[in-house]
mmCIF file of all heavy atoms in Angstrom:
data_model
loop_
_atom_site.group_PDB
_atom_site.id
_atom_site.type_symbol
_atom_site.label_atom_id
_atom_site.label_comp_id
_atom_site.label_asym_id
_atom_site.label_seq_id
_atom_site.Cartn_x
_atom_site.Cartn_y
_atom_site.Cartn_z
ATOM 1 N N PRO O 20 -5.814 4.094 -6.991
ATOM 2 C CA PRO O 20 -5.109 3.785 -5.745
ATOM 3 C C PRO O 20 -3.620 3.478 -5.947
ATOM 4 O O PRO O 20 -2.792 3.827 -5.106
ATOM 5 C CB PRO O 20 -5.834 2.552 -5.206
ATOM 6 C CG PRO O 20 -7.140 2.527 -5.899
ATOM 7 C CD PRO O 20 -6.963 3.225 -7.201
ATOM 8 N N ASN O 21 -3.292 2.885 -7.074
ATOM 9 C CA ASN O 21 -1.902 2.504 -7.304
ATOM 10 C C ASN O 21 -0.983 3.704 -7.484
ATOM 11 O O ASN O 21 0.227 3.594 -7.285
ATOM 12 C CB ASN O 21 -1.792 1.554 -8.494
ATOM 13 C CG ASN O 21 -2.537 0.264 -8.238
ATOM 14 O OD1 ASN O 21 -2.779 -0.104 -7.091
ATOM 15 N ND2 ASN O 21 -2.932 -0.420 -9.285
ATOM 16 N N ASP O 22 -1.551 4.866 -7.808
ATOM 17 C CA ASP O 22 -0.735 6.074 -7.894
ATOM 18 C C ASP O 22 -0.145 6.439 -6.534
ATOM 19 O O ASP O 22 0.846 7.157 -6.458
ATOM 20 C CB ASP O 22 -1.562 7.262 -8.400
ATOM 21 C CG ASP O 22 -1.834 7.206 -9.892
ATOM 22 O OD1 ASP O 22 -1.309 6.313 -10.584
ATOM 23 O OD2 ASP O 22 -2.597 8.074 -10.365
ATOM 24 N N TYR O 23 -0.759 5.951 -5.464
ATOM 25 C CA TYR O 23 -0.335 6.320 -4.113
ATOM 26 C C TYR O 23 0.332 5.169 -3.364
ATOM 27 O O TYR O 23 1.126 5.417 -2.461
ATOM 28 C CB TYR O 23 -1.539 6.855 -3.329
ATOM 29 C CG TYR O 23 -2.228 7.921 -4.133
ATOM 30 C CD1 TYR O 23 -3.387 7.650 -4.850
ATOM 31 C CD2 TYR O 23 -1.660 9.184 -4.254
ATOM 32 C CE1 TYR O 23 -3.972 8.622 -5.646
ATOM 33 C CE2 TYR O 23 -2.234 10.158 -5.048
ATOM 34 C CZ TYR O 23 -3.400 9.870 -5.742
ATOM 35 O OH TYR O 23 -3.966 10.830 -6.544
ATOM 36 N N LEU O 24 0.012 3.944 -3.747
ATOM 37 C CA LEU O 24 0.586 2.784 -3.059
ATOM 38 C C LEU O 24 1.756 2.172 -3.832
ATOM 39 O O LEU O 24 2.446 1.307 -3.308
ATOM 40 C CB LEU O 24 -0.498 1.717 -2.837
ATOM 41 C CG LEU O 24 -1.643 2.148 -1.923
ATOM 42 C CD1 LEU O 24 -2.752 1.104 -1.921
ATOM 43 C CD2 LEU O 24 -1.141 2.404 -0.511
ATOM 44 N N CYS O 25 1.959 2.606 -5.052
ATOM 45 C CA CYS O 25 3.012 2.042 -5.889
ATOM 46 C C CYS O 25 4.029 3.118 -6.270
ATOM 47 O O CYS O 25 3.657 4.253 -6.551
ATOM 48 C CB CYS O 25 2.426 1.438 -7.166
ATOM 49 S SG CYS O 25 1.204 0.147 -6.850
ATOM 50 N N ASP O 26 5.272 2.716 -6.271
ATOM 51 C CA ASP O 26 6.373 3.579 -6.716
ATOM 52 C C ASP O 26 6.478 4.849 -5.874
ATOM 53 O O ASP O 26 7.013 5.849 -6.326
ATOM 54 C CB ASP O 26 6.203 3.931 -8.197
ATOM 55 C CG ASP O 26 7.527 4.213 -8.886
ATOM 56 O OD1 ASP O 26 8.557 3.692 -8.441
ATOM 57 O OD2 ASP O 26 7.514 4.975 -9.863
ATOM 58 N N SER O 27 5.956 4.821 -4.653
ATOM 59 C CA SER O 27 6.038 6.004 -3.807
ATOM 60 C C SER O 27 6.830 5.718 -2.530
ATOM 61 O O SER O 27 7.790 6.413 -2.248
ATOM 62 C CB SER O 27 4.638 6.533 -3.477
ATOM 63 O OG SER O 27 3.852 5.531 -2.911
ATOM 64 N N PHE O 28 6.453 4.711 -1.791
ATOM 65 C CA PHE O 28 7.189 4.363 -0.580
ATOM 66 C C PHE O 28 8.520 3.701 -0.927
ATOM 67 O O PHE O 28 9.548 4.002 -0.338
ATOM 68 C CB PHE O 28 6.369 3.426 0.311
ATOM 69 C CG PHE O 28 5.157 4.080 0.906
ATOM 70 C CD1 PHE O 28 3.917 3.917 0.336
ATOM 71 C CD2 PHE O 28 5.271 4.874 2.036
ATOM 72 C CE1 PHE O 28 2.793 4.526 0.873
ATOM 73 C CE2 PHE O 28 4.171 5.490 2.589
ATOM 74 C CZ PHE O 28 2.930 5.313 2.000
ATOM 75 N N ILE O 29 8.459 2.761 -1.878
ATOM 76 C CA ILE O 29 9.662 2.067 -2.361
ATOM 77 C C ILE O 29 9.595 2.080 -3.885
ATOM 78 O O ILE O 29 8.627 1.587 -4.470
ATOM 79 C CB ILE O 29 9.727 0.608 -1.851
ATOM 80 C CG1 ILE O 29 9.736 0.577 -0.318
ATOM 81 C CG2 ILE O 29 10.962 -0.093 -2.404
ATOM 82 C CD1 ILE O 29 9.640 -0.828 0.266
ATOM 83 N N LYS O 30 10.592 2.652 -4.510
ATOM 84 C CA LYS O 30 10.605 2.744 -5.978
ATOM 85 C C LYS O 30 10.464 1.357 -6.607
ATOM 86 O O LYS O 30 11.068 0.394 -6.156
ATOM 87 C CB LYS O 30 11.897 3.395 -6.474
ATOM 88 C CG LYS O 30 11.986 4.860 -6.147
ATOM 89 C CD LYS O 30 10.943 5.628 -6.926
ATOM 90 C CE LYS O 30 11.000 7.104 -6.614
ATOM 91 N NZ LYS O 30 9.834 7.810 -7.025
ATOM 92 N N LYS O 31 9.610 1.297 -7.646
ATOM 93 C CA LYS O 31 9.358 0.106 -8.451
ATOM 94 C C LYS O 31 8.557 -0.980 -7.729
ATOM 95 O O LYS O 31 8.459 -2.093 -8.216
ATOM 96 C CB LYS O 31 10.664 -0.484 -8.993
ATOM 97 C CG LYS O 31 11.418 0.477 -9.890
ATOM 98 C CD LYS O 31 12.654 -0.170 -10.458
ATOM 99 C CE LYS O 31 13.404 0.835 -11.304
ATOM 100 N NZ LYS O 31 14.569 0.276 -11.938
ATOM 101 N N TYR O 32 7.954 -0.649 -6.579
ATOM 102 C CA TYR O 32 7.149 -1.626 -5.842
ATOM 103 C C TYR O 32 5.836 -1.019 -5.381
ATOM 104 O O TYR O 32 5.749 0.174 -5.107
ATOM 105 C CB TYR O 32 7.902 -2.139 -4.610
ATOM 106 C CG TYR O 32 9.034 -3.067 -4.959
ATOM 107 C CD1 TYR O 32 10.322 -2.576 -5.117
ATOM 108 C CD2 TYR O 32 8.810 -4.421 -5.164
ATOM 109 C CE1 TYR O 32 11.365 -3.411 -5.460
ATOM 110 C CE2 TYR O 32 9.849 -5.271 -5.506
ATOM 111 C CZ TYR O 32 11.121 -4.763 -5.648
ATOM 112 O OH TYR O 32 12.151 -5.595 -5.992
ATOM 113 N N CYS O 33 4.830 -1.886 -5.253
ATOM 114 C CA CYS O 33 3.564 -1.537 -4.624
ATOM 115 C C CYS O 33 3.597 -2.143 -3.227
ATOM 116 O O CYS O 33 3.893 -3.336 -3.078
ATOM 117 C CB CYS O 33 2.392 -2.111 -5.410
ATOM 118 S SG CYS O 33 2.280 -1.468 -7.087
ATOM 119 N N VAL O 34 3.289 -1.334 -2.229
ATOM 120 C CA VAL O 34 3.419 -1.801 -0.855
ATOM 121 C C VAL O 34 2.061 -2.132 -0.242
ATOM 122 O O VAL O 34 1.040 -1.535 -0.583
ATOM 123 C CB VAL O 34 4.158 -0.769 0.025
ATOM 124 C CG1 VAL O 34 5.565 -0.523 -0.492
ATOM 125 C CG2 VAL O 34 3.384 0.529 0.123
ATOM 126 N N GLY O 35 2.088 -3.083 0.672
ATOM 127 C CA GLY O 35 0.898 -3.453 1.421
ATOM 128 C C GLY O 35 0.860 -2.792 2.784
ATOM 129 O O GLY O 35 -0.153 -2.801 3.465
ATOM 130 N N ASN O 36 2.000 -2.229 3.176
ATOM 131 C CA ASN O 36 2.128 -1.551 4.461
ATOM 132 C C ASN O 36 3.324 -0.615 4.395
ATOM 133 O O ASN O 36 4.102 -0.664 3.450
ATOM 134 C CB ASN O 36 2.298 -2.563 5.596
ATOM 135 C CG ASN O 36 3.563 -3.388 5.464
ATOM 136 O OD1 ASN O 36 3.768 -4.082 4.466
ATOM 137 N ND2 ASN O 36 4.421 -3.316 6.458
ATOM 138 N N ASN O 37 3.435 0.230 5.417
ATOM 139 C CA ASN O 37 4.667 0.999 5.578
ATOM 140 C C ASN O 37 5.146 0.759 6.999
ATOM 141 O O ASN O 37 4.694 -0.202 7.641
ATOM 142 C CB ASN O 37 4.474 2.477 5.215
ATOM 143 C CG ASN O 37 3.521 3.215 6.119
ATOM 144 O OD1 ASN O 37 3.164 2.756 7.203
ATOM 145 N ND2 ASN O 37 3.090 4.381 5.696
ATOM 146 N N ASP O 38 5.980 1.603 7.513
ATOM 147 C CA ASP O 38 6.536 1.359 8.849
ATOM 148 C C ASP O 38 5.509 1.364 9.966
ATOM 149 O O ASP O 38 5.720 0.739 11.000
ATOM 150 C CB ASP O 38 7.634 2.383 9.158
ATOM 151 C CG ASP O 38 8.878 2.168 8.327
ATOM 152 O OD1 ASP O 38 9.129 1.015 7.902
ATOM 153 O OD2 ASP O 38 9.603 3.148 8.093
ATOM 154 N N ASN O 39 4.405 2.062 9.782
ATOM 155 C CA ASN O 39 3.434 2.139 10.876
ATOM 156 C C ASN O 39 1.971 1.990 10.450
ATOM 157 O O ASN O 39 1.084 2.239 11.247
ATOM 158 C CB ASN O 39 3.614 3.447 11.659
ATOM 159 C CG ASN O 39 3.485 4.674 10.781
ATOM 160 O OD1 ASN O 39 3.158 4.562 9.605
ATOM 161 N ND2 ASN O 39 3.733 5.838 11.339
ATOM 162 N N GLN O 40 1.721 1.601 9.202
ATOM 163 C CA GLN O 40 0.337 1.435 8.733
ATOM 164 C C GLN O 40 0.228 0.180 7.873
ATOM 165 O O GLN O 40 1.129 -0.124 7.084
ATOM 166 C CB GLN O 40 -0.087 2.630 7.885
ATOM 167 C CG GLN O 40 -0.090 3.946 8.632
ATOM 168 C CD GLN O 40 -0.314 5.115 7.697
ATOM 169 O OE1 GLN O 40 0.400 5.270 6.715
ATOM 170 N NE2 GLN O 40 -1.295 5.942 8.001
ATOM 171 N N ILE O 41 -0.900 -0.504 8.012
ATOM 172 C CA ILE O 41 -1.202 -1.654 7.152
ATOM 173 C C ILE O 41 -2.320 -1.214 6.218
ATOM 174 O O ILE O 41 -3.401 -0.821 6.657
ATOM 175 C CB ILE O 41 -1.621 -2.888 7.974
ATOM 176 C CG1 ILE O 41 -0.476 -3.283 8.918
ATOM 177 C CG2 ILE O 41 -2.001 -4.044 7.060
ATOM 178 C CD1 ILE O 41 -0.841 -4.400 9.875
ATOM 179 N N PHE O 42 -2.063 -1.268 4.910
ATOM 180 C CA PHE O 42 -3.003 -0.747 3.923
ATOM 181 C C PHE O 42 -4.031 -1.769 3.435
ATOM 182 O O PHE O 42 -5.005 -1.394 2.793
ATOM 183 C CB PHE O 42 -2.247 -0.180 2.721
ATOM 184 C CG PHE O 42 -1.329 0.954 3.073
ATOM 185 C CD1 PHE O 42 0.015 0.889 2.788
ATOM 186 C CD2 PHE O 42 -1.809 2.089 3.706
ATOM 187 C CE1 PHE O 42 0.872 1.931 3.104
ATOM 188 C CE2 PHE O 42 -0.968 3.142 4.038
ATOM 189 C CZ PHE O 42 0.373 3.066 3.736
ATOM 190 N N TYR O 43 -3.812 -3.052 3.680
ATOM 191 C CA TYR O 43 -4.711 -4.111 3.196
ATOM 192 C C TYR O 43 -5.250 -4.919 4.365
ATOM 193 O O TYR O 43 -4.571 -5.100 5.373
ATOM 194 C CB TYR O 43 -3.953 -5.078 2.286
ATOM 195 C CG TYR O 43 -3.559 -4.545 0.933
ATOM 196 C CD1 TYR O 43 -2.544 -3.618 0.773
ATOM 197 C CD2 TYR O 43 -4.203 -5.001 -0.219
ATOM 198 C CE1 TYR O 43 -2.171 -3.143 -0.474
ATOM 199 C CE2 TYR O 43 -3.835 -4.535 -1.476
ATOM 200 C CZ TYR O 43 -2.816 -3.603 -1.593
ATOM 201 O OH TYR O 43 -2.449 -3.146 -2.837
ATOM 202 N N ILE O 44 -6.465 -5.470 4.183
ATOM 203 C CA ILE O 44 -7.003 -6.406 5.176
ATOM 204 C C ILE O 44 -6.709 -7.847 4.775
ATOM 205 O O ILE O 44 -6.859 -8.761 5.564
ATOM 206 C CB ILE O 44 -8.514 -6.222 5.415
ATOM 207 C CG1 ILE O 44 -9.309 -6.423 4.133
ATOM 208 C CG2 ILE O 44 -8.794 -4.864 6.035
ATOM 209 C CD1 ILE O 44 -10.813 -6.518 4.334
ATOM 210 N N ASP O 45 -6.339 -8.044 3.527
ATOM 211 C CA ASP O 45 -5.944 -9.359 3.025
ATOM 212 C C ASP O 45 -4.944 -9.096 1.906
ATOM 213 O O ASP O 45 -4.101 -8.233 2.045
ATOM 214 C CB ASP O 45 -7.166 -10.192 2.583
ATOM 215 C CG ASP O 45 -8.102 -9.460 1.615
ATOM 216 O OD1 ASP O 45 -7.660 -8.505 0.935
ATOM 217 O OD2 ASP O 45 -9.280 -9.846 1.526
ATOM 218 N N SER O 46 -5.055 -9.786 0.786
ATOM 219 C CA SER O 46 -4.110 -9.544 -0.309
ATOM 220 C C SER O 46 -4.654 -8.570 -1.358
ATOM 221 O O SER O 46 -3.895 -8.099 -2.198
ATOM 222 C CB SER O 46 -3.754 -10.866 -0.995
ATOM 223 O OG SER O 46 -4.916 -11.425 -1.595
ATOM 224 N N HIS O 47 -5.945 -8.274 -1.300
ATOM 225 C CA HIS O 47 -6.528 -7.488 -2.385
ATOM 226 C C HIS O 47 -7.666 -6.542 -1.985
ATOM 227 O O HIS O 47 -8.358 -6.022 -2.836
ATOM 228 C CB HIS O 47 -6.996 -8.419 -3.507
ATOM 229 C CG HIS O 47 -7.950 -9.477 -3.049
ATOM 230 N ND1 HIS O 47 -7.543 -10.601 -2.370
ATOM 231 C CD2 HIS O 47 -9.277 -9.572 -3.166
ATOM 232 C CE1 HIS O 47 -8.584 -11.348 -2.088
ATOM 233 N NE2 HIS O 47 -9.653 -10.745 -2.562
ATOM 234 N N HIS O 48 -7.842 -6.296 -0.704
ATOM 235 C CA HIS O 48 -8.837 -5.321 -0.244
ATOM 236 C C HIS O 48 -8.159 -4.342 0.706
ATOM 237 O O HIS O 48 -7.420 -4.755 1.608
ATOM 238 C CB HIS O 48 -9.987 -6.005 0.510
ATOM 239 C CG HIS O 48 -10.835 -6.864 -0.342
ATOM 240 N ND1 HIS O 48 -10.702 -8.227 -0.390
ATOM 241 C CD2 HIS O 48 -11.839 -6.554 -1.198
ATOM 242 C CE1 HIS O 48 -11.595 -8.729 -1.235
ATOM 243 N NE2 HIS O 48 -12.292 -7.728 -1.747
ATOM 244 N N LEU O 49 -8.443 -3.054 0.511
ATOM 245 C CA LEU O 49 -7.859 -2.051 1.378
ATOM 246 C C LEU O 49 -8.462 -2.105 2.781
ATOM 247 O O LEU O 49 -9.657 -2.360 2.944
ATOM 248 C CB LEU O 49 -8.091 -0.642 0.814
ATOM 249 C CG LEU O 49 -7.297 -0.256 -0.422
ATOM 250 C CD1 LEU O 49 -7.729 1.125 -0.919
ATOM 251 C CD2 LEU O 49 -5.803 -0.282 -0.148
ATOM 252 N N SER O 50 -7.627 -1.865 3.754
ATOM 253 C CA SER O 50 -8.092 -1.695 5.129
ATOM 254 C C SER O 50 -8.694 -0.285 5.247
ATOM 255 O O SER O 50 -8.604 0.523 4.315
ATOM 256 C CB SER O 50 -6.913 -1.832 6.091
ATOM 257 O OG SER O 50 -5.981 -0.781 5.862
ATOM 258 N N ASN O 51 -9.295 0.011 6.386
ATOM 259 C CA ASN O 51 -9.786 1.371 6.606
ATOM 260 C C ASN O 51 -8.639 2.365 6.496
ATOM 261 O O ASN O 51 -8.792 3.442 5.906
ATOM 262 C CB ASN O 51 -10.460 1.497 7.975
ATOM 263 C CG ASN O 51 -11.804 0.804 8.021
ATOM 264 O OD1 ASN O 51 -12.413 0.530 6.997
ATOM 265 N ND2 ASN O 51 -12.258 0.498 9.228
ATOM 266 N N THR O 52 -7.496 1.994 7.029
ATOM 267 C CA THR O 52 -6.306 2.857 6.950
ATOM 268 C C THR O 52 -5.899 3.066 5.498
ATOM 269 O O THR O 52 -5.591 4.187 5.085
ATOM 270 C CB THR O 52 -5.142 2.232 7.738
ATOM 271 O OG1 THR O 52 -5.546 2.089 9.096
ATOM 272 C CG2 THR O 52 -3.889 3.073 7.658
ATOM 273 N N GLY O 53 -5.885 1.981 4.712
ATOM 274 C CA GLY O 53 -5.522 2.082 3.298
ATOM 275 C C GLY O 53 -6.513 2.930 2.515
ATOM 276 O O GLY O 53 -6.122 3.758 1.695
#
């Protein structure tokens, strides 16, 4: 999963969301969208 959530939207960071999607339901579990 980190190949897609890290270093892609923002270089050198893993994101929990982007401008219109929330990828996590908390701090460590993916949402349905994620």
